[in-house]
């Protein structure tokens, strides 16, 4: 047998199995064989020694915003810095959101994001964001035909022109069911949120509480009422629903109960909700941490971890939407003007591995499941992505389970001049990453290339 690359003697970990002292044979862009002693029986152009290391499928971050014009700024990590960081953090596929601005059609917004992704270093696809169902609903079929069967709606962001109300959400779910598509939902109750925000927007309160007003004006019910409502529309229409960036324990309970009733709803959380809480808003630089939904309480964090362990929460993503200190400074004391979002792509797998596996909250296989296999399954990319098996794309990350590094934004690929996890000790950064058979990280350094990443066309979902 002849392989292009053999990854030799590592512990190969998938969602289902842990295989010590196992070799992975790669031919071209695909995994050709997985087994013991491959390196002895076969020759290879290159042998990568993985002894003492974990060999996992490339991770998938299904929720990123790269190079995204937002709240008067543009998120600073793009398909260059974002994807370099992804590769160094074991991620070989990202899914971004093609967003319409003004009167853009869905097809125009998809074209715009395709253009941005020309610099991609790892593989990618998109969710298509609907901001005006009356216009965009007519285009949904053509978007599915272009290989994008996932749509997105926001219950907030009227100021960006993106808000969808219940009638649009209901009709979109009906259409998703007809087309074999899934709707992703930013679930927050805008009307009550706006009311509470307006009550607090006084010079006295802003001076007194500063960035803490971000958390004071977003009680837990702002998220969980919206999740409950979206679940209701999902249940009655039968359209597949996926709640993005779920941050509350009550939301987790609603999803668990709905799934037990057989409602076709899934939910992700993001790494930041698993390691940070709203105490950060008391810091002098607390405004940097503003994202929507905002960071919650430690009891939410623990319930989300339990949701990951029990299966209620299927994926962990990042909602990467990076802004520098200068970009965040636009707030000038008004928390409603902060460009919302956090960097995170490079530390997704390290957070889930360190806090989840080393923190004894989840098993090693569940870590691979929530970061690799399940994202691929839920986004209709499995088994092409998300596993190490013959026929799958040769997307592989190798890391030393014992090698912890202190997070320092200066050493990360992000263009951010700060980092929410600055100083945390994390294991799980890639020593070597392959994307479709090509080494793109070697000795922990990015050695890939802009333009190598490919658009991944996806099939509709089975209903
Ligand atoms: O604060 C966030 N999450 N910014 C990105 C946009 C969104 O709502 O996901
Ligand atoms: Zn959102
Ligand atoms: Zn987002």
């Amino acid at each position: 047998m002849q392989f292009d690359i053999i990854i030799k003697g590592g512990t190969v970990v998938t969602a289902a199995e842990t295989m010590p002292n196992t070799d992975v044979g790669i031919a071209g862009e695909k995994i050709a064989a997985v087994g013991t002693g491959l390196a002895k029986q076969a020759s290879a152009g290159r042998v990568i020694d993985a002894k003492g290391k974990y060999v996992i499928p490339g991770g998938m971050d299904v929720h990123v915003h790269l190079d995204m014009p937002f709240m008067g700024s543009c998120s600073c990590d793009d398909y260059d810095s974002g994807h370099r960081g992804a590769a160094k953090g074991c991620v070989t596929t990202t899914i971004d959101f093609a967003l319409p601005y003004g009167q853009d059609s869905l097809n125009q917004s998809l074209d715009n994001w395709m253009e941005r992704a020309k610099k991609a270093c790892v593989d990618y696809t998109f969710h298509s964001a609907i901001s005006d169902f009356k216009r965009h609903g007519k285009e949904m079929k053509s978007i599915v035909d272009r290989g994008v069967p996932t749509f997105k709606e926001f219950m907030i962001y009227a100021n960006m022109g993106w808000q969808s109300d219940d009638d649009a959400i209901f009709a979109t779910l009906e259409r998703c069911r007809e087309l074999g598509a899934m709707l992703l939902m930013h679930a927050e109750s805008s009307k009550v949120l706006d009311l509470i925000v307006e009550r607090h927007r006084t010079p006295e309160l802003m001076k007194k509480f500063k960035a803490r007003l971000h958390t004071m004006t977003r009680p837990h019910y702002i998220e969980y009422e919206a999740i409950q409502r979206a679940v209701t529309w999902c249940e009655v229409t039968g359209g597949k629903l996926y709640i993005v960036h779920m941050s509350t324990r009550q939301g987790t309970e609603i999803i668990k109960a709905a799934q037990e009733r057989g409602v076709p709803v899934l939910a992700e959380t993001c790494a930041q909700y698993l390691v940070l809480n709203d105490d950060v808003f008391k810091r002098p630089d607390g405004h940097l941490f503003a994202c929507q939904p905002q960071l919650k309480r430690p009891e939410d964090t623990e319930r989300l971890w339990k949701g990951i362990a029990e299966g209620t929460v299927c994926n962990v993503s990042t909602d990467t939407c990076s802004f520098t200190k200068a970009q965040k400074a636009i707030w000038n004391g008004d928390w409603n003007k902060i460009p919302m979002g956090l960097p995170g792509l490079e530390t997704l797998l390290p957070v889930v591995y360190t806090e989840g596996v080393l923190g004894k909250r989840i098993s090693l296989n569940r870590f691979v499941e929530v970061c690799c296999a399940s994202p691929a399954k839920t986004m209709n990319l499995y088994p092409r992505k998300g596993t190490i098996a013959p026929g799958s794309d040769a997307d592989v990350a190798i890391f030393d389970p014992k090698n912890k590094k202190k997070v320092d934004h200066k050493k990360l690929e992000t263009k951010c001049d700060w980092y929410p996890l600055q100083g945390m000790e994390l294991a799980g950064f890639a020593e070597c990453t392959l994307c479709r058979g090509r080494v793109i990280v070697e000795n922990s350094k990015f050695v890939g290339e802009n333009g190598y990443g490919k658009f991944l066309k996806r099939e509709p979902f089975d209903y």
Side-chain angles (χ1 to χ4, degrees), residues 281-302:
F281 297 114
K282 295 178 190 151
R283 292 170 41 153
D285 62 353
H287 67 286
L288 296 177
F289 291 77
C291 57
Q292 294 178 146
Q294 93 284 14
L295 300 163
K296 300 292 195 306
R297 301 300 306 147
E299 54 271 28
D300 298 290
T301 293
E302 284 315 316

Side-chain angles (χ1 to χ4, degrees), residues 63 65 152 245 319:
H63 188 158
H65 302 279
K152 168 81 180 283
H245 50 44
D319 195 8

Side-chain angles (χ1 to χ4, degrees), residues 63 65 152 154 156-157 185-188 244-245 292-293 319:
H63 188 158
H65 302 279
K152 168 81 180 283
F154 298 93
I156 63 166
Y157 298 135
M185 184 61 59
H186 178 131
E188 288 193 289
V244 297
H245 50 44
Q292 294 178 146
D319 195 8

Side-chain angles (χ1 to χ4, degrees), residues 353-397:
Y353 174 71
T354 309
E355 295 293 313
V357 182
L358 300 183
K360 301 201 181 319
R361 292 177 172 108
I362 56 170
S363 71
L364 185 58
N365 304 100
R366 184 69 183 143
F367 152 67
V368 172
E369 191 163 27
V370 294
C371 293
C372 315
S374 172
K377 284 182 185 165
T378 54
M379 299 303 160
N380 243 4
L381 284 166
Y382 191 88
R384 176 169 178 192
K385 304 288 186 188
T387 192
I388 297 182
S392 293
D393 280 0
D395 293 352
V396 181

